[in-house]
Amino acid sequence: MHRSAKRLASLLACAAVPVMLVAGCSGSDTKTSDKASEAPSKSSSPSPTVAAAKYKKLPNPCEAFSKGTLDKLVPEAKDKSGDQGDSTDATTHGTCTWASSDSQGVDGTQFRWLDIGFQRYDSDPNPQIGSGEKRATEFYAKTVANAKATKGAKKLKVVKTSGTGDEATTLTYDIKKEGTAFTNTTVVARTANIVVMINYNGANMSGDDTPKAADLLKRAQPAAKEAVAAAVKANG
C-alpha cells in the first residue's frame, strides 16, 4: 500500500506537466499583453478599425463538461466537481483539473488526468495590440507551437480538428516521466476571442497496458466541442 501511494503521488506530479504548459503560456502572454495595454497609444484617438470583442464572459471551467462526459474521461475520479485553479479575473482566465485512478488488483491500474483551461481576450484600441479575436488567434498559434515543442514527446501527431469553434488543433504523443509511460492528447480550440485548451492523458501502473492514443482521442475531441459550446452558452 505504501509503494502504491508513492507511485500514485509520482503519477499526479507527472500528469500535471501539461497544465504547466497551459498556465505558462497564458500567464506570460497575459503579462505581456497587460504591459502593452498600459503603454500609451501613438494615436491621439482610438483606432476605429479595432472591432469589439465578441465574448465578455467565461464559463466556470469545472462545469464545462457534463456528468456523462466526465464519467467517460475520468470514471474513477474521487471528486467529479474538479479542482478549480486560482485566477485573478475569472472573466479572462480559468482552469480545472480531474484525476482518476482505477485499480484492478493484480491486473494493474489505469490512471487518467484531465485538465481544461479557458483564456479570453478583450479588444484594445491600441492598433499594436488589436482586437480580442486577433489576440486570441495569436495565443492559439503560440499554444499549439508550444505543445508541438514538448520536451521528450515521442510519436507526435498533429491534426486540424473540424467542427470545434473557429479553428482547432489536436496533438497526440507519448512521453515518459520518472520511468512512467504516458499517452497524452492535447486539443487547442478557438472561438472568436476565447481559446480553450484541453489536456487528457493516461498512464499504466503495476504492469497494465499503456492506453492507446486513439482511445484517448475519441474522448478528448468530443469533450473539446462541449467546452467550446459551454463558452458560447456562457455569453448567452
Side-chain angles (χ1 to χ4, degrees):
M1 293 297 289
H2 181 62
R3 287 185 177 179
S4 299
K6 290 181 66 178
R7 185 67 166 165
L8 181 56
S10 176
L11 282 172
L12 284 167
C14 292
V17 171
V19 184
M20 300 307 293
L21 167 69
V22 172
C25 291
S26 60
S28 59
D29 188 83
T30 303
K31 185 176 181 180
T32 302
S33 298
D34 288 344
K35 289 183 178 180
S37 300
E38 294 169 2
S41 172
K42 293 182 179 179
S43 174
S44 59
S45 60
S47 170
T49 61
V50 177
K54 182 175 182 179
Y55 298 127
K56 303 295 184 183
K57 302 176 182 179
L58 288 179
N60 181 328
C62 292
E63 297 176 0
F65 303 120
S66 67
K67 181 181 181 300
T69 295
L70 291 174
D71 285 342
K72 292 178 181 178
L73 272 68
V74 284
E76 298 300 323
K78 290 183 178 180
D79 186 0
K80 291 289 177 64
S81 62
D83 184 9
Q84 189 165 350
D86 294 332
S87 177
T88 56
D89 184 356
T91 67
T92 59
H93 181 68
T95 62
C96 192
T97 62
W98 296 261
S100 171
S101 181
D102 183 14
S103 176
Q104 299 296 323
V106 295
D107 293 326
T109 299
Q110 281 289 328
F111 175 78
R112 295 290 183 273
W113 174 276
L114 170 67
D115 73 66
I116 183 171
F118 287 97
Q119 184 71 37
R120 187 188 66 82
Y121 288 93
D122 284 317
S123 295
D124 193 293
N126 185 337
Q128 293 183 344
I129 301 174
S131 69
E133 184 161 342
K134 172 180 176 290
R135 298 173 69 192
T137 300
E138 292 172 348
F139 180 65
Y140 165 85
K142 184 185 297 184
T143 304
V144 172
N146 285 341
K148 288 180 180 179
T150 300
K151 186 176 181 180
K154 305 291 184 182
K155 299 181 181 179
L156 174 66
K157 293 182 180 180
V158 183
V159 295
K160 289 291 184 179
T161 303
S162 61
T164 306
D166 294 312
E167 56 182 335
T169 300
T170 299
L171 306 93
T172 61
Y173 57 84
D174 295 338
I175 192 167
K176 185 169 287 188
K177 294 288 184 178
E178 296 185 4
T180 299
F182 283 85
T183 301
N184 191 84
T185 299
T186 296
V187 185
V188 185
R190 180 186 65 82
T191 176
N193 57 312
I194 294 176
V195 177
V196 183
M197 301 147 286
I198 293 175
N199 285 297
Y200 181 49
N201 62 57
N204 62 331
M205 294 176 65
S206 304
D208 200 356
D209 293 335
T210 302
K212 296 179 180 179
D215 292 337
L216 298 188
L217 189 62
K218 288 179 182 179
R219 293 174 174 81
Q221 287 185 321
K225 291 183 180 181
E226 191 172 324
V228 168
V232 175
K233 184 178 180 181
N235 287 273

